[in-house]
Amino acid sequence: MKTAICIFWTLCWLLWAPEARAQQDQRKNVLFFLVDDLRPNLGCYGDQWAQTPHIDRLAAQGMLFENAYCQQAVCSPSRTSMLSGLRPDETGVYDLRTHFRDGNPHVVTLPQAFKNQGYFTASVGKVFHNSKRTLDSVSWTLEVSPFSGNTYVLPKNRSENGGKRDATERADVPDIAYADGQIAEDAILLMEKAAATDTPFFLAVGFMKPHAPFCAPETYWKRYERTMFAVAQRDRPIGSPELAFHQWQELRGYADVPDEGEITPEQEQELIHGYYACISYVDAQIGKVMDRLEELGMANNTIIVLWGDHGYHLGEQALWCKSTNFELDVRVPLILSAPGMRSNGGSTDAMVESVDIYPTLSDLCGIQATTTLAGTSLRPLLDNPRVDWGHPAFSQFVRPYAAIHNSERATHMGYSVRVKGWRYTCWYDLETDLVVERELYRLNDNNLETRNVADKVSSRTVENRLAAWIEQYRKGRYKK
């Protein structure tokens, strides 16, 4: 009933909003898929196990970014940064509770910029962080189902307070039994209404999986043999400081995961199996929305973006979940399909950042950004993936871990810079403003940090160059 009422008022807006009707033209629509906790374990990124035919189809018609990085590897700071076009030190958001408008009330977000130019802007599912205090209603013409749907469907996992139960769940149910199936249905309904008008739309569709718990319909679990999964390279990088790690508190919050110590190889397999099942489940929902877009005849005038808010550890480097500056946590999938771009169907290894998405979509759609943005338009790469780019990618994270829940004051901030072949991280004591730990990694073929070579004579030239970049970034002097 709630969705039906929302759709009714949406149709009224589309038909009668004078500002939107006055600006009817051939501006491109934007269909933006945001996927929670998705690292680039996709067929189009070369993953040999992942069954992701619909995302692979999107990559085949657009541009795949091999080296895209978020600004902070946890949901709210990452999403806030991308949607505002600002870095965490500009938004002031490092945790899961702070709202960026507390310190930046006049920021114009990406969807808000489109809304101000006459677009119908809708948020379906998890787009900003999924809590009432971190939503941003001014950005949208309409928000649909930000909280609706079930985390669990099996009675043994359902609880009155909706809290964490098992870390995985497989149930013989239709797609719509879980939240992401309903999110896809709501997105399709909105597109159908928009197709009946001349008003351009910006539709953000936020899927909640593969965020833990790894819950998906049985059909997606059955696509994989559990025996194919195992933790790869589980050792910590040699010489890495304790500040770089956490105790995987997020995973330990589930009822069937021990509060301390290791988990069994069998449970490791189950968790990885569940993660892949959730990826395929979300892939199917993306396929439904893309198919309907084509059936409605709007594909040729719609830019499609797929973005993961941050990466994830699946037991590698003695870590589970996110919340570090390591490559597995900050590297994200990014695919952008814009009609008419010369390099559609290709890929680029240029270092790009989540903050680049806002200026890119504004550029492609002729939207004038009224906020000074931290990133730069990726349009040159969409025309020529081998263009001389030369930009590094920056990320950062706080310690202690509890600070991301705003339950303990942050004492340290790790600033990290990524360039071709290297990752460098400096950990600053926030009280003394001094560097207390340094990490320099020469990345191997699978992009995993294995040995910290900071302070080594053989890498001093590289370290000095990257340290200077971090200082510029930290003091707000780095500009693309």
Side-chain angles (χ1 to χ4, degrees):
M1 178 62 71
K2 179 181 177 182
T3 297
I5 293 172
C6 289
I7 298 301
F8 170 77
W9 287 111
T10 299
L11 182 58
C12 291
W13 186 93
L14 289 167
L15 291 173
W16 301 111
E19 181 183 359
R21 300 294 292 172
Q23 297 189 46
Q24 294 173 20
D25 55 26
Q26 294 302 308
R27 288 177 294 176
K28 291 181 175 62
N29 305 308
V30 176
L31 175 59
F32 198 145
F33 295 115
L34 302 89
V35 188
D36 205 353
D37 285 18
L38 178 66
R39 70 189 209 177
N41 283 73
L42 305 167
C44 52
Y45 276 89
D47 189 291
Q48 62 178 324
W49 305 119
Q51 296 186 32
T52 53
H54 304 290
I55 295 175
D56 298 346
R57 167 164 51 112
L58 177 62
Q61 70 186 42
M63 169 67 75
L64 183 147
F65 292 86
E66 295 279 3
N67 293 302
Y69 295 90
C70 69
Q71 271 47 75
Q72 187 172 332
V74 70
C75 298
S76 187
S78 175
R79 291 163 182 263
T80 297
S81 191
M82 185 276 292
L83 290 163
S84 67
L86 303 175
R87 301 185 185 279
D89 283 353
E90 296 173 298
T91 66
V93 177
Y94 310 107
D95 58 52
L96 302 181
R97 293 175 56 84
T98 302
H99 197 293
F100 68 94
R101 292 203 186 275
D102 293 345
N104 299 276
H106 304 300
V107 165
V108 177
T109 67
L110 169 60
Q112 187 182 358
F114 278 73
K115 178 183 175 184
N116 291 346
Q117 292 295 311
Y119 274 69
F120 166 65
T121 63
S123 166
V124 182
K126 181 177 179 180
V127 177
F128 283 94
H129 189 53
N130 202 25
S131 67
K132 290 182 179 180
R133 67 177 294 128
T134 52
L135 298 177
D136 191 56
S137 59
V138 71
S139 291
W140 310 106
T141 311
L142 178 67
E143 291 176 288
V144 178
S145 64
F147 308 110
S148 65
N150 299 317
T151 298
Y152 299 105
V153 300
L154 295 180
K156 70 168 187 169
N157 286 324
R158 300 299 294 270
S159 61
E160 291 184 4
N161 63 8
K164 290 183 174 182
R165 296 300 302 163
D166 287 354
T168 64
E169 181 179 277
R170 57 192 298 175
D172 192 6
V173 295
D175 288 4
I176 203 169
Y178 290 109
D180 284 343
Q182 182 61 57
I183 288 168
E185 293 295 318
D186 288 345
I188 289 170
L189 192 55
L190 284 170
M191 285 197 309
E192 290 172 346
K193 298 302 183 183
T197 77
D198 295 322
T199 304
F201 67 79
F202 181 108
L203 176 57
V205 185
F207 291 112
M208 299 184 181
K209 299 303 169 189
H211 192 293
F214 305 135
C215 305
E218 174 72 14
T219 183
Y220 301 102
W221 286 82
K222 290 167 63 175
R223 293 186 181 186
Y224 301 95
E225 292 290 337
R226 181 165 296 180
T227 54
M228 70 175 62
F229 298 116
V231 173
Q233 198 163 326
R234 64 175 69 243
D235 295 332
R236 287 187 176 192
I238 297 169
S240 52
E242 192 62 35
L243 275 173
F245 298 89
H246 54 74
Q247 301 303 314
W248 6 307
Q249 290 93 326
E250 178 184 344
L251 184 64
R252 294 192 189 281
Y254 291 95
D256 58 347
V257 178
D259 292 338
E260 58 184 24
E262 302 300 319
I263 57 178
T264 66
E266 292 76 19
Q267 189 168 29
E268 289 177 344
Q269 283 190 319
E270 180 182 359
L271 291 168
I272 301 171
H273 186 179
Y275 187 83
Y276 273 80
C278 288
I279 290 175
S280 289
Y281 171 51
V282 168
D283 176 77
Q285 310 320 303
I286 289 171
K288 293 174 187 177
V289 179
M290 289 173 55
D291 288 346
R292 190 61 182 137
L293 181 75
E294 293 176 1
E295 292 166 359
L296 292 168
M298 297 190 293
N300 290 336
N301 194 44
T302 299
I303 297 168
I304 305 177
V305 182
L306 181 136
W307 174 74
D309 59 352
H310 46 72
Y312 207 78
H313 273 82
L314 293 169
E316 302 96 342
Q317 300 173 313
L319 288 163
W320 288 87
C321 306
K322 56 267 190 182
S323 305
T324 77
N325 283 314
F326 289 127
E327 187 81 359
L328 280 174
D329 283 351
V330 295
R331 181 173 173 244
V332 301
L334 175 61
I335 301 169
L336 199 156
S337 174
M341 291 292 102
R342 289 188 297 174
S343 295
N344 281 343
S347 65
T348 177
D349 63 359
M351 299 288 162
V352 304
E353 302 176 283
S354 294
V355 289
D356 296 330
I357 294 174
Y358 187 156
T360 301
L361 293 178
S362 298
D363 186 4
L364 293 172
C365 295
I367 301 297
Q368 184 66 43
T370 58
T371 297
T372 300
L373 303 176
T376 191
S377 174
L378 302 175
R379 187 166 189 160
L381 290 167
L382 298 176
D383 278 328
N384 178 7
R386 288 171 293 279
V387 71
D388 185 14
W389 193 246
H391 299 297
F394 294 96
S395 304
Q396 59 190 93
F397 214 90
V398 295
R399 286 290 182 264
Y401 177 90
I404 66 172
H405 299 285
N406 209 20
S407 58
E408 188 172 336
R409 186 177 67 86
T411 60
H412 295 80
M413 180 71 77
Y415 291 93
S416 191
V417 61
R418 175 72 159 91
V419 297
K420 186 175 182 179
W422 296 92
R423 173 170 297 286
Y424 185 57
T425 302
C426 291
W427 289 94
Y428 286 81
D429 184 310
L430 294 177
E431 185 172 330
T432 66
D433 202 35
L434 298 176
V435 176
V436 295
E437 298 285 1
R438 302 176 188 272
E439 303 172 71
L440 178 63
Y441 302 102
R442 188 169 187 91
L443 296 184
N444 54 26
D445 291 339
N446 62 359
N447 283 340
L448 279 178
E449 299 88 349
T450 57
R451 181 183 294 272
N452 182 11
V453 295
D455 297 323
K456 303 296 184 185
V457 174
S458 60
S459 53
R460 184 166 297 163
T461 299
V462 171
E463 183 171 0
N464 289 342
R465 175 169 62 93
L466 299 183
W469 259 340
I470 284 181
E471 271 297 290
Q472 290 178 20
Y473 172 79
R474 192 175 70 93
K475 293 180 178 178
R477 295 202 300 261
Y478 176 80
K479 303 296 180 184
K480 283 194 171 183

